[in-house]
Amino acid sequence: MSVLEHDVLLNLDLRPLPVKGGAAPDVRNLVTSVALAQDSGFASIILPGLSSSEEGAAPAGFEATTAASFLASRFKRIGFITPVLLPEEHPYLAARQLASIDHVTHGWAGWLLSTARRSVPLDRFEEAVTVVSGLWDGWKEGALRFDRKAGTPVDPALVNQLDHSGRYYKVQGPISSSRPPQEQLPLFVDVGNSPVEEEFAAFYADVAIINAETVKEAVQQALRLRNLASTDNRSGGPLRILATVTPVSGSSSQVARDELLASTGGKIPQGRIVLTDTSEQIVSVLQELLSSKVIDGFNVSLPVETELLSQFTSLVLPELRRSRQPVTIDLQSLRHSYGLGKAQRPPVLQTSNEVAAE
Amino acid sequence: MTQTSHKQMHLNLNLRGVGFHRSGWRHPLSRVEETITVEFHQELARLAEKAKFDAVFLADSPVMSEAGNSTQPLDKPFEPFVLLSAIAAATENIGLIGTVSTTYYDPFVVATRTASLDLLSGGRLGVNFVTTQGDRVAKNFGFDTHPDYSDRYTRAEEFLRLVLALWNNREPDNSRTVKHRGRYFALDRGLDIARSAQGRPLVVQAGASENGRGLAASYAEAVYTGSSTLANGQAFYRDVKSRAAANGRNPETIRILPGIVPFVGGTEAEALRLERELEDLSSQDIDTIAWLSSELETDLTNHDPSGPLPFDILPTEHTYRKGVSRLLRLVAWAREDDLSIEDLARKAFARLRNVHWTLAGTGEQIADQLQAWFQGGAADGFNILTPVNPIGLEGFVSEVVPILQRRGLFKSEYSGSTLRSNFGLEGGTK
């Protein structure tokens, strides 16, 4: 199945805004947001992961692994992205949960690592990626035989132990979920500002999410990522880059700004391009970002009130799309909808101290 | 609304797509090819909901059991809370019980995920806390061996208290934090997920050992057990209820639910034939005494297979590394039925490492037995472990449930939409 869509990738970020206070979404609010996003052609949704004790944030309301699976029966052509929080979440459990979600969604699951704003060394993220992707690859194609006559439900030669032993993790495997439909789930990486984080994202990410606060910074960071991705031995296929934006439109910039502040307890959220303006002005900034040719689309992050999302989808999005070329989107899986090509398992990491922690 | 509930039994479906008999998946009607799909599990849960089951129950251990063994079907294709979330979306009333390992999981992660599913499902979640068993699991989490028995239970209690504190310390504005510094965990944070319609998930416990019973008597609202005779079922029931009373709890607030494996047939002969068929399929190509040796962590291959178990060299509760309930069950089984090593090995193996009460018969006969246990003080209800799916569940639902309902022993309608209301436990939220 495929659809004709306009050339801009969209992800809805349902993680709580990084401002204290604000309301928590309820079940109806969650379902309405997902429906709005799917109906207006968003490719995916980032669900709230475990809250990190290091950051002040609005209440999450839900947790990603349970919400993704709960929503999956209802929404069949949008991806569900689960953040994995290190070091709290163990890669064995993460691999199993994510593989299960990929089975439940029939290939519409992704995962997210936030390297920004955490005091976790980068080599720990690298090792977690190695373990998780290795566990998914432990089940080879054709391992499930279901041969009643011979009494062999599985072919043990096609179910491999991982036997990983590294600096942070020692994991035998295999997991008890069979090969995920997408084989390797797309990895989203929330990129901070440091060069090592950019290297990590350029090497491992399928989709990099930029958290710059101005158009100029966002374009510069996207350029750096593109350069790193072309010179580096990148592990996967094409790199998709989304800029995080908080677009709130109003009859004037003052009205729009007041509307945003009313839902955030008077604070402007950081780590994104905040656009409070008329819809025409917002469209023109988004076009400017896309015209750089290094940014593929947007990670849209808004306060919980669904009216703000519906303003964006009804006022801003149609206008933005009018300026873009139509392209065909393949709706077989999340990988397909992002045009990521065939899954590749990242190279096995040789544990070393090369990558210094920030 | 609830006054009838303790006169009526509770039924949980222990949901495992491939069934609980070792060879269940090989049966021509097993639909084993669909057991890796979420839709198959949703279908079974809906069937159980139509029959007014109280809950579906997912046992679990974070390990691929018997990896490398080609005769073992994939029995846990989904992580339990991911699967329960998908079942929540496909059902309305049936409760959802999933298992967590207190030995290998993080209490904050568990409290968050379970609070989320409890809220999404409208207050239908129960969490079964187990200490997990076996060295293979340990190797997935950076350890060479499974921790000692007493260590496991000290950790389990701290874990459970912490999860309860996180669940309970939620204000309407979700801003309360739990400060804790203990032997295993340190925490200074709170949940940012609202309370569900039932307040918090129910606490379920499984494990028949001394410490397991102690934990159940202090915290559990439902206990899943492996009693296999009416007499030991009654003894277990009395023991846990009196321990609860000694802790100052009302014994009526704990539901004790032994597992049963029912082979249901239109006639008794038909039921027995199905059981025999599966037993024959399972012991064909396996050295069952070697298997029992590994189960009992004792080399039995040098002993006379037709002689009794060497009871004096078997491990004790404190030295056994797997689930202590299983050790106790196997030893009791050998003693009570006076079984030789080879007979115990064959019978225990055929029932899929499964030390539950197996019964075969017509719907009427099975209902009679359940009634005897229920009214004889051995059970508040049962965990149903169907040997083959979907026919095992279909048979139980069409042959046994209507008889229980006719006798007034089982509900014909749900009285509410939370697990707590299904279990008739609305009184005690804390």
Side-chain angles (χ1 to χ4, degrees), chain B residues 9 11 51 53 260-266 271 357 359-371 382 384 386-387 391-412:
Chain B
M9 63 174 73
L11 294 176
F53 272 60
I260 67 156
V261 184
F263 292 84
V264 190
W357 179 33
L359 61 175
T362 61
E364 201 80 35
Q365 288 172 318
I366 289 174
D368 286 347
Q369 298 232 42
L370 298 185
Q371 181 168 4
F382 303 92
I384 308 302
T386 52
I391 57 166
L393 179 60
E394 288 163 352
F396 189 86
V397 161
S398 65
E399 304 289 327
V400 184
V401 170
I403 294 171
L404 295 173
Q405 287 170 330
R406 242 185 341 264
R407 295 180 187 175
L409 292 167
F410 187 61
K411 63 183 166 306
S412 302

Side-chain angles (χ1 to χ4, degrees), chain A residues 78-208:
Chain A
I78 194 160
F80 295 102
I81 317 303
T82 295
V84 173
L85 187 68
L86 297 183
E88 284 87 340
E89 296 187 81
H90 192 280
Y92 184 89
L93 299 175
R96 185 179 178 215
Q97 283 161 10
L98 291 163
S100 299
I101 299 170
D102 204 39
H103 282 289
V104 167
T105 59
H106 301 285
W108 285 89
W111 60 313
L112 170 83
L113 292 173
S114 270
T115 58
R117 297 189 300 274
R118 298 235 66 199
S119 53
V120 177
L122 255 293
D123 60 344
R124 184 164 191 143
F125 283 95
E126 295 194 299
E127 199 179 322
V129 172
T130 301
V131 172
V132 169
S133 58
L135 286 169
W136 288 335
D137 199 37
W139 281 79
K140 301 298 179 190
E141 203 117 27
L144 290 167
R145 300 167 55 103
F146 303 125
D147 188 338
R148 287 178 170 84
K149 265 219 166 71
T152 48
V154 294
D155 181 347
L158 298 176
V159 185
N160 302 331
Q161 288 191 181
L162 181 66
D163 291 324
H164 171 88
S165 181
R167 179 166 173 187
Y168 300 98
Y169 300 111
K170 198 172 158 203
V171 179
Q172 180 176 272
I175 51 171
S176 61
S177 291
S178 56
R179 192 169 183 81
Q182 294 182 100
E183 306 192 344
Q184 294 287 319
L185 280 62
L187 174 61
F188 288 56
V189 175
D190 224 352
V191 196
N193 287 321
S194 68
V196 284
E197 280 180 57
E198 290 178 353
E199 275 170 38
F200 175 83
F203 189 78
Y204 289 104
D206 293 297
V207 180

Side-chain angles (χ1 to χ4, degrees), chain B residues 315-334:
Chain B
T316 68
E317 292 202 342
H318 296 279
T319 57
Y320 192 61
R321 307 204 75 86
K322 296 181 181 144
V324 173
S325 323
R326 182 178 305 184
L327 173 73
L328 299 180
R329 235 354 278 137
L330 286 168
V331 171
W333 201 354

Side-chain angles (χ1 to χ4, degrees), chain A residues 51 66 69 96 100 106 153 173 177, chain B residues 39 60 77 79 82 116 140 189:
Chain A
S51 63
T66 46
S69 182
R96 185 179 178 215
S100 299
H106 301 285
S177 291
Chain B
E39 289 79 7
D60 191 56
E79 192 276 336
V82 170
S116 174
N140 287 331
R189 61 205 302 193

Side-chain angles (χ1 to χ4, degrees), chain A residues 42-340:
Chain A
F42 280 61
S44 56
I45 291 171
I46 298 176
L47 291 158
L50 293 175
S51 63
S52 153
S53 57
E54 295 172 17
E55 301 160 26
F62 299 97
E63 178 274 340
T65 59
T66 46
S69 182
F70 181 78
L71 294 164
S73 334
R74 242 176 111 167
F75 301 101
K76 300 199 183 287
R77 50 172 199 80
I78 194 160
F80 295 102
I81 317 303
T82 295
V84 173
L85 187 68
L86 297 183
E88 284 87 340
E89 296 187 81
H90 192 280
Y92 184 89
L93 299 175
R96 185 179 178 215
Q97 283 161 10
L98 291 163
S100 299
I101 299 170
D102 204 39
H103 282 289
V104 167
T105 59
H106 301 285
W108 285 89
W111 60 313
L112 170 83
L113 292 173
S114 270
T115 58
R117 297 189 300 274
R118 298 235 66 199
S119 53
V120 177
L122 255 293
D123 60 344
R124 184 164 191 143
F125 283 95
E126 295 194 299
E127 199 179 322
V129 172
T130 301
V131 172
V132 169
S133 58
L135 286 169
W136 288 335
D137 199 37
W139 281 79
K140 301 298 179 190
E141 203 117 27
L144 290 167
R145 300 167 55 103
F146 303 125
D147 188 338
R148 287 178 170 84
K149 265 219 166 71
T152 48
V154 294
D155 181 347
L158 298 176
V159 185
N160 302 331
Q161 288 191 181
L162 181 66
D163 291 324
H164 171 88
S165 181
R167 179 166 173 187
Y168 300 98
Y169 300 111
K170 198 172 158 203
V171 179
Q172 180 176 272
I175 51 171
S176 61
S177 291
S178 56
R179 192 169 183 81
Q182 294 182 100
E183 306 192 344
Q184 294 287 319
L185 280 62
L187 174 61
F188 288 56
V189 175
D190 224 352
V191 196
N193 287 321
S194 68
V196 284
E197 280 180 57
E198 290 178 353
E199 275 170 38
F200 175 83
F203 189 78
Y204 289 104
D206 293 297
V207 180
I209 296 176
I210 285 180
N211 298 294
E213 295 184 1
T214 65
V215 170
K216 194 177 158 201
E217 283 167 18
V219 171
Q220 282 174 348
Q221 184 167 39
L223 267 170
R224 289 198 299 276
L225 288 171
R226 295 260 175 239
N227 285 334
L228 286 167
S230 61
T231 56
D232 225 350
N233 282 329
R234 200 177 135 61
S235 79
L239 172 66
R240 301 290 175 214
I241 299 180
L242 307 181
T244 304
V245 294
T246 296
V248 178
S249 57
S251 55
S252 71
S253 64
Q254 189 59 47
V255 169
R257 192 180 159 83
D258 289 346
E259 185 157 14
L260 173 63
L261 292 176
S263 5
T264 59
K267 292 179 210 80
I268 296 285
Q270 295 181 310
R272 75 266 328 282
I273 300 171
V274 176
L275 299 168
T276 48
D277 218 322
T278 60
S279 51
E280 293 78 14
Q281 282 304 311
I282 291 176
V283 169
S284 113
V285 177
L286 297 179
Q287 280 171 339
E288 188 187 345
L289 283 158
L290 292 175
S291 67
S292 70
K293 309 271 188 207
V294 286
I295 290 170
D296 301 298
F298 304 105
N299 173 43
V300 178
S301 167
L302 289 166
V304 303
E305 289 81 1
T306 47
E307 297 73 38
L308 296 178
L309 178 60
S310 75
Q311 274 176 25
F312 175 77
T313 58
S314 61
L315 300 176
V316 177
L317 204 48
E319 208 46 51
L320 178 68
R321 284 198 171 125
R322 247 188 286 282
S323 66
R324 307 293 296 169
Q325 290 299 315
V327 289
T328 307
I329 310 282
D330 184 345
L331 293 176
Q332 252 185 72
S333 71
L334 178 62
R335 290 199 76 84
H336 285 88
S337 73
Y338 270 90
L340 293 173

